[in-house]
Amino acid sequence: MENDNIKVILERYNNGRATKADIVAIEQLIELGTIDLEELLDLKQMDNELHRIGSPEPSFQLDDRFYAFLAKEKKKQQAFTFMEWFAFSWPAPKMAFGVLTFLLGLALGYFLLPKNESEKTELTALNEEVTSLKEMMMLALLEKESATDRLKAVSLTHEFDDASEAVTRALLKTLNKDSNVNVRLAALDALRPYIENDTVRAELIKSIGKQDSPLVQIALAELMAAVQEKSSVKEFEKLLKNEKTPEEIKKRIREKIEVII
Amino acid sequence: MKKSKVLLPENQMPALEKLHDNALMEKVKNGDLDKLGLLFERYKKPLFGFFYGINKDSELSEDLVQNVFVRILKYRTLYRGEGEFRSWMFHIARNVSHDHYRRKKIKANDTIDAWQDKLGSDENRMTTFQQEENLELLSLALDRLPEEKREILLLSKYQEKKYKEIGEQLGFTEGAVKVKVFRAMQDLKALFRDLEAKR
């Protein structure tokens, strides 16, 4: 339908003179996305009024009931089952866990013996082996199809005192490329302790332009505001200029970069 | 690579988490049940408003809100984190509402007389809840809409007109949802005018 015809139909509708054929046409145009509901002025007004209709507030009894239910569920959950440790669905982590246990057993043996310099060196080497094994597990889990496995992988990094370059590289790749927004958020969370590292910081700034999820965009804005990273402002300004960025997100990003500038 | 000791202030962590419903629900799914409390605080009022808009019964609405969170916890392992948490929650809310009415074999689109009977039990609350006259008429007109049309307008209200989300819950395209909203609003307009004329 031509634009002029559409304008005529809309004008008739907004002046209360729409025919039945006009209504049918308007429905088709709405379904196609050619016109927006906001262009139908009386409905827009009615919609605003609808949003003003309030309702009574729920009572405090609702809160009492919910929190009593939650407390009960938390108690049930506290029963620890060893089976949870072996809940992996594929063999490699089980094998890795077995090797870890063996190595930790060796480590325990070393603790029981009197130490000398060479033994201390061997202990350090053992600790490095254990860390290396954990890193291998983490990197393997990051490649899994299940988002839950990838989240487990990211959460493993919190156990490292210091992560290797391979781990931070993997976390950055996850932040930029993982299909699941929660995994990307978890990866950003895991990278925060390393923000003082120049490479990590630079990559996080580059990541701003690669994100299309508003949640991750806001999380990055919060992080950059917290560390006062002025060189991130340019990337955020690009987001603000992008028409696809929702207004609410633009508002939040502006609030954050005002703190930086 | 060394972890920095000078990191974000402690209060940044809760602020960050608070933003992300999906992240909170993932934590619940992974066993951190306390995070469900945060989601409850955020959504108890919109859910209550949604149910109240359908049934006009405060006690029942509270029961249904509780049921939604019971189901969220029960089915937390099924949460996939795709799309918005709010959309998944309102999908559950709709099911809770429909299941209630199926069990009770009560039609949700009661006559206006039956609705006025229920008003008695809420009268004390409603007297403290002041509305302009037109809003009252609009509210009455909304109550007279068939359940399906009332529901779509309530979903539009409480899900901030995220028609794509609503479409995913109902199994329609975004365009089809907008047409349903249009038709519901047209009917609402007609009912409102009827009530205005009788005033």
Side-chain angles (χ1 to χ4, degrees):
Chain A
M1 192 182 290
E2 289 173 12
N3 280 343
D4 288 343
N5 272 349
I6 295 174
K7 275 192 188 148
V8 164
I9 291 172
L10 275 178
E11 208 180 297
R12 274 205 293 268
Y13 180 88
N14 286 330
N15 290 331
R17 291 182 285 112
T19 62
K20 280 186 185 167
D22 287 341
I23 299 290
V24 170
I26 285 173
E27 285 185 2
Q28 284 169 354
L29 292 167
I30 289 171
E31 186 159 11
L32 291 169
T34 312
I35 65 171
D36 200 75
L37 288 167
E38 302 280 306
E39 296 179 63
L40 308 169
L41 300 175
D42 64 342
L43 293 194
K44 184 179 169 184
Q45 196 189 347
M46 182 161 275
D47 188 53
N48 291 341
E49 297 291 300
L50 259 182
H51 277 74
R52 287 178 55 212
I53 293 175
S55 62
E57 301 258 306
S59 71
F60 291 119
Q61 278 174 8
L62 175 61
D63 289 4
D64 290 344
R65 280 169 61 190
F66 171 77
Y67 286 109
F69 153 74
L70 192 64
K72 207 166 139 193
E73 291 298 312
K74 278 163 67 179
K75 243 187 183 166
K76 271 190 221 169
Q77 193 201 32
Q78 265 159 19
F80 173 79
T81 60
F82 281 99
M83 288 310 293
E84 282 181 13
W85 288 99
F86 299 94
F88 292 114
S89 58
W90 52 292
K94 286 183 189 166
M95 285 165 55
F97 185 78
V99 173
L100 247 178
T101 313
F102 173 70
L103 290 173
L104 286 171
L106 284 181
L108 192 64
Y110 275 109
F111 277 120
L112 293 175
L113 293 172
K115 288 191 182 47
N116 56 33
E117 280 304 313
S118 65
E119 280 172 348
K120 278 185 190 166
T121 311
E122 280 178 35
L123 189 57
T124 306
L126 196 64
N127 285 338
E128 282 171 3
E129 283 287 336
V130 168
T131 303
S132 172
L133 209 58
K134 278 189 192 173
E135 282 191 9
M136 266 171 53
M137 252 172 71
M138 179 241 169
L139 293 170
L141 278 172
L142 270 180
E143 299 300 321
K144 295 305 287 176
E145 214 174 284
S146 150
T148 308
D149 284 338
R150 300 199 303 277
L151 272 171
K152 270 186 198 159
V154 173
S155 69
L156 272 176
T157 62
H158 293 294
E159 292 179 28
F160 303 150
D161 289 329
D162 300 303
S164 68
E165 273 188 37
V167 166
T168 50
R169 228 183 359 255
L171 285 173
L172 284 163
K173 185 183 166 194
T174 304
L175 172 63
N176 291 330
K177 295 227 159 69
D178 198 283
S179 56
N180 185 291
V181 70
N182 295 308
V183 176
R184 295 206 297 277
L185 284 168
L188 178 60
D189 202 43
L191 281 163
R192 272 191 297 202
Y194 305 100
I195 188 113
E196 297 300 327
N197 177 278
D198 290 338
T199 310
V200 169
R201 194 181 275 228
E203 289 300 319
L204 283 172
I205 293 169
K206 276 190 210 165
S207 183
I208 295 166
K210 294 177 186 172
Q211 301 298 332
D212 52 16
S213 158
L215 299 177
V216 183
Q217 288 167 346
I218 293 173
L220 278 164
E222 294 234 336
L223 177 57
M224 293 301 158
V227 299
Q228 290 288 299
E229 181 49 60
K230 289 190 171 28
S231 57
S232 67
V233 172
K234 229 185 197 171
E235 290 298 323
F236 285 120
E237 279 172 350
K238 284 183 199 165
L239 271 182
L240 291 175
K241 286 182 185 151
N242 189 340
E243 283 170 6
K244 288 183 188 166
T245 311
E247 269 314 308
E248 178 57 36
I249 305 306
K250 284 185 183 176
K251 184 179 158 202
R252 287 188 179 172
I253 290 175
R254 264 187 221 109
E255 281 166 14
K256 291 301 156 191
I257 64 176
E258 268 162 20
V259 172
I260 301 173
I261 295 167
Chain B
M1 202 164 299
K2 292 272 175 223
K3 274 186 182 173
S4 165
K5 295 288 187 254
V6 180
L7 293 172
L8 302 175
E10 282 298 304
N11 62 5
Q12 287 284 345
M13 273 296 293
L16 207 56
E17 284 184 12
K18 218 201 277 186
L19 280 176
H20 313 303
D21 290 348
N22 289 36
L24 287 176
M25 188 60 216
E26 279 294 337
K27 286 183 189 286
V28 172
K29 185 177 171 181
N30 292 329
D32 185 355
L33 302 192
D34 282 328
K35 296 295 184 287
L36 190 65
L38 291 178
L39 291 167
F40 171 77
E41 292 302 329
R42 193 173 292 181
Y43 286 109
K44 63 183 178 185
K45 286 185 189 174
L47 275 173
F48 179 86
F50 171 70
F51 287 129
Y52 190 84
I54 292 176
N55 58 47
K56 293 298 183 201
D57 184 332
S58 293
E59 271 181 46
L60 173 60
S61 299
E62 287 189 6
D63 285 347
L64 297 179
V65 170
Q66 175 79 353
N67 286 352
V68 167
F69 282 96
V70 167
R71 280 198 198 184
I72 285 174
L73 201 61
K74 185 176 174 186
Y75 297 118
R76 65 187 183 272
T77 53
L78 299 179
Y79 178 70
R80 291 180 295 187
E82 294 157 4
E84 292 291 329
F85 164 78
R86 181 181 56 190
S87 179
W88 184 65
M89 184 190 71
F90 270 103
H91 178 77
I92 292 176
R94 288 187 68 245
N95 286 343
V96 161
S97 183
H98 295 167
D99 287 350
H100 167 77
Y101 284 110
R102 243 196 322 272
R103 269 198 311 273
K104 298 288 176 189
K105 290 181 183 151
I106 298 166
K107 289 210 171 126
N109 50 338
D110 288 345
T111 61
I112 198 74
D113 294 333
W115 179 79
Q116 283 176 336
D117 287 343
K118 278 185 205 157
L119 179 61
S121 65
D122 287 330
E123 202 166 353
N124 286 337
R125 266 189 223 169
M126 290 304 284
T127 53
T128 63
F129 180 59
Q130 299 296 324
Q131 286 179 309
E132 300 165 14
E133 199 177 343
N134 275 348
L135 279 185
E136 271 187 53
L137 283 180
L138 189 62
S139 182
L140 259 175
L142 184 63
D143 294 330
R144 286 187 171 191
L145 273 180
E147 191 206 346
E148 204 185 286
K149 291 189 172 176
R150 190 162 72 243
E151 189 185 60
I152 198 126
L153 292 184
L154 290 169
L155 284 173
S156 169
K157 177 178 173 178
Y158 288 104
Q159 291 192 237
E160 298 172 348
K161 298 189 217 172
K162 295 284 192 291
Y163 299 122
K164 190 165 176 238
E165 268 181 39
I166 296 169
E168 281 161 11
Q169 283 160 29
L170 302 179
F172 296 114
T173 62
E174 187 179 345
V177 170
K178 287 182 184 177
V179 170
K180 285 181 180 294
V181 168
F182 171 72
R183 288 176 183 165
M185 292 288 269
Q186 290 280 92
D187 286 2
L188 184 67
K189 190 168 67 172
L191 281 167
F192 177 78
R193 284 183 181 157
D194 261 348
L195 288 169
E196 228 185 359
K198 286 172 187 168
R199 194 166 42 172

